[in-house]
Amino acid sequence: MAYYQQALAERPALAPLIRANLRLAWRRLARQGDEVAPSTGLDRLYRALPATSHFAQRLRTLRLEQEPPALPAAIAAAEQAVAALLAAAPGCWCATGEAQPPLVSVIMLSHNRATLITEAIASVLEQRYGHWELWVCDDGSTDHTAAVVARVADARVHYLALPKQGAAAARNQGLRRARGALIAYLDTDNLWHPDYLATAVALLQAQPGRSALYMDYLDCRLLPAGQVRLERFSGRVFDPEALLQRNFIDLNAFVHRRELFACLGGFDESLVRLQDYALILTYSWLRDPLYWPHPLNLYLRDPHVGQITQVQAADRSAEQRVRAQLQQMLDQGPPRQRPHPPRRLHILSWDSGRNHFSKPFALAEALRDEHQVQLLSFDFFNEGVFEPLRSAPLPGPLWVRPGSPFPDFFARLDAALEALRDAEVLYVVKPRLPSLGLALLANRRTGVPLVLEVNDLETVVNRLGAQAGPAPCATSRWRWRPWIGPTRRCAILTASAGRSCLIRWRANCRLCSRTIGRWTRILNTAA
């Protein structure tokens, strides 16, 4: 092994050929059990995987400079968590009304990586979750990458031969062609655990309100002597303020719903590096991604393969541009695509006279420049519009009728249904029986899509008594289905705002931007 490392140091121009021979030597040593002594933690993970798995073979060849004391326990916890998750996951897509498991589109960037790409593609082929497609986005390679990919006899693998435009443009070409409901990324210097995709699908299917997730990963650096330094294997719970300072999410351990690309666009093609950071900042701006605290991805930092983080390390323009984009999002919210024309939005609130009317009012203020907004509410306390808002300019037409007990309230509902006759989307703020019942009636009568906030929804259902079935809770969203079953195109989400934003929407407030953005994302993807 030392001879290979010496050759790499003396003949850097032959690095691709030397590295290919070095990998063959590693595999031979792994089969023979000679010279390579894996760590306790990695060996445990290796032995739990099929011996033919490229992920397992790479683990077997890693000679750690020093094993972190916490690594064995982290590996054991990951094994148990994956096993428990997947044991409960078969058919999980059925709970969301899907007839088949969701398709995952894998985007793989490549540029002159013919010596590496075979293992990366094999890592996808070895996934136990088989409903995927792979888009190899070749950014102007001049080696034999095309021939290597052509030898892969699997119709799920697609090769895009592209002119040299940069990593961001190449990935965007793959995103435009992707057909999957979920998007994942795998670069040629990364390998996935065989259950990586199955884990990601199970997690996102179990939490339909989440737009993205990220996992821990094994971050390894190849040292000159052939050893490997494990620089990190555990991450951190998502913290939007910490993400503003530095990226702690690896793109190869990040999976998101396609709707984010449809609504917010793809990679910034003006960036020569930090493209992944800019994308993750944008995609996590509206809703926090789910965090899975277990490493199922292996990243080997190799100084001989021309990784972007090393080749473009001296460039500082990317940092400046990302900071400028960040400031723009703080001021104006994230950039949005317009997959749909402006819509007639009816924002429903059960009462107009108390402080909870400030939220629908703020939503209408935020959305009036892009959509036709109308507020609809009832006045149960004979107080008129909430006092702090009476002198504020109305963001759109206001429809308010007196509230009353049943059965007299049926006539009010009939009048409200007539007012919703041309509605295209309904949004129900703090659902109570008057607003929630009205939205469900309108949905049943015309099929108009509706959005319900999950916070406070349990107070409505609990009042229905035993007829509602099991007592619901805010974390078990699909327990509503026995009651909301007749609805069509119904989205349930959680929304929040800061205490300083309870009365009026503020354009320069990040909390307002995130809250309004969540609604906009649902709006733009409502069919």
Side-chain angles (χ1 to χ4, degrees), residues 293-501:
H294 304 292
L296 297 181
N297 171 44
L298 174 62
Y299 176 32
L300 182 60
R301 301 179 186 269
D302 188 338
H304 305 99
V305 298
Q307 293 165 320
I308 292 178
T309 52
Q310 297 170 339
V311 174
Q312 303 291 346
D315 179 83
R316 292 291 177 265
S317 63
E319 295 179 358
Q320 297 171 1
R321 180 166 178 79
V322 169
R323 291 299 163 191
Q325 291 176 345
L326 176 59
Q327 186 60 51
Q328 183 177 5
M329 287 196 294
L330 287 168
D331 294 339
Q332 304 175 16
R336 295 195 298 271
Q337 308 294 310
R338 294 191 68 99
H340 301 290
R343 291 183 165 170
R344 291 187 296 276
L345 311 181
H346 286 71
I347 302 175
L348 279 56
S349 177
W350 75 277
D351 184 75
S352 62
R354 300 296 171 92
N355 62 345
H356 44 252
F357 188 65
S358 60
K359 184 169 186 181
F361 197 94
L363 279 168
E365 284 186 314
L367 297 172
R368 63 183 173 183
D369 292 337
E370 298 185 13
H371 302 282
Q372 303 172 31
V373 179
Q374 179 171 345
L375 289 159
L376 189 147
S377 187
F378 300 98
D379 184 4
F380 279 93
F381 300 98
N382 298 318
E383 296 178 355
V385 173
F386 182 43
E387 193 275 333
L389 298 176
R390 290 174 189 168
S391 60
L394 287 174
L398 175 62
W399 188 100
V400 178
R401 295 294 184 273
S404 62
F406 285 106
D408 294 340
F409 191 64
F410 283 122
R412 306 280 191 256
L413 286 176
D414 286 337
L417 283 171
E418 181 64 22
L420 296 178
R421 182 175 53 182
D422 62 345
E424 293 184 345
V425 181
L426 303 182
Y427 180 88
V428 188
V429 179
K430 295 183 70 67
R432 295 293 197 275
L433 188 57
S435 54
L436 175 61
L438 174 61
L440 293 176
L441 286 170
N443 175 271
R444 186 175 182 85
R445 178 174 296 184
T446 66
V448 58
L450 58 102
V451 180
L452 307 176
E453 290 181 2
V454 74
N455 52 311
D456 251 11
L457 186 58
E458 67 273 16
T459 60
V460 179
V461 182
N462 283 341
R463 292 174 186 171
L464 297 177
Q467 297 179 358
C473 64
T475 57
S476 300
R477 303 183 179 195
W478 296 108
R479 288 192 182 182
W480 313 119
R481 188 161 293 280
W483 188 58
I484 306 180
T487 64
R488 293 172 285 176
R489 295 177 292 175
C490 173
I492 301 176
L493 72 156
T494 302
S496 60
R499 290 184 178 275
S500 62
C501 315

Side-chain angles (χ1 to χ4, degrees), residues 31-108:
R31 288 193 297 269
Q32 297 172 357
D34 180 24
E35 187 177 329
V36 181
S39 73
T40 303
L42 296 184
D43 188 50
R44 173 176 183 139
L45 180 57
Y46 162 77
R47 296 182 183 281
L49 297 172
T52 57
S53 163
H54 284 71
F55 186 82
Q57 292 175 9
R58 177 64 65 86
L59 289 175
R60 183 63 173 149
T61 61
L62 295 182
R63 294 183 297 152
L64 292 186
E65 177 188 44
Q66 181 179 3
E67 179 177 80
L71 180 61
I75 295 298
E79 280 184 329
Q80 296 170 4
V82 171
L85 176 69
L86 298 186
C92 64
W93 54 87
C94 297
T96 61
E98 299 179 32
Q100 61 180 354
L103 178 67
V104 181
S105 294
V106 181
I107 308 299
M108 180 178 292

Side-chain angles (χ1 to χ4, degrees), residues 78 80-93 95-96 98 102 104 129 182 195-216 253-257 288-296 475 477-478:
Q80 296 170 4
V82 171
L85 176 69
L86 298 186
C92 64
W93 54 87
T96 61
E98 299 179 32
V104 181
Y129 183 86
L182 303 178
D195 286 324
Y196 174 83
L197 288 183
T199 300
V201 170
L203 289 169
L204 286 174
Q205 291 299 96
Q207 300 217 27
R210 299 281 189 170
S211 300
L213 70 85
Y214 68 101
M215 307 184 194
D216 289 341
F254 181 71
V255 180
H256 63 84
R257 301 189 192 277
D288 295 354
L290 178 65
Y291 171 51
W292 176 254
H294 304 292
L296 297 181
T475 57
R477 303 183 179 195
W478 296 108

Side-chain angles (χ1 to χ4, degrees), residues 160-183:
L160 289 177
L162 304 169
K164 186 73 175 77
Q165 293 180 306
R171 286 191 178 112
N172 283 340
Q173 289 292 337
L175 285 170
R176 294 185 187 105
R177 291 166 172 80
R179 298 177 296 114
L182 303 178
I183 307 292

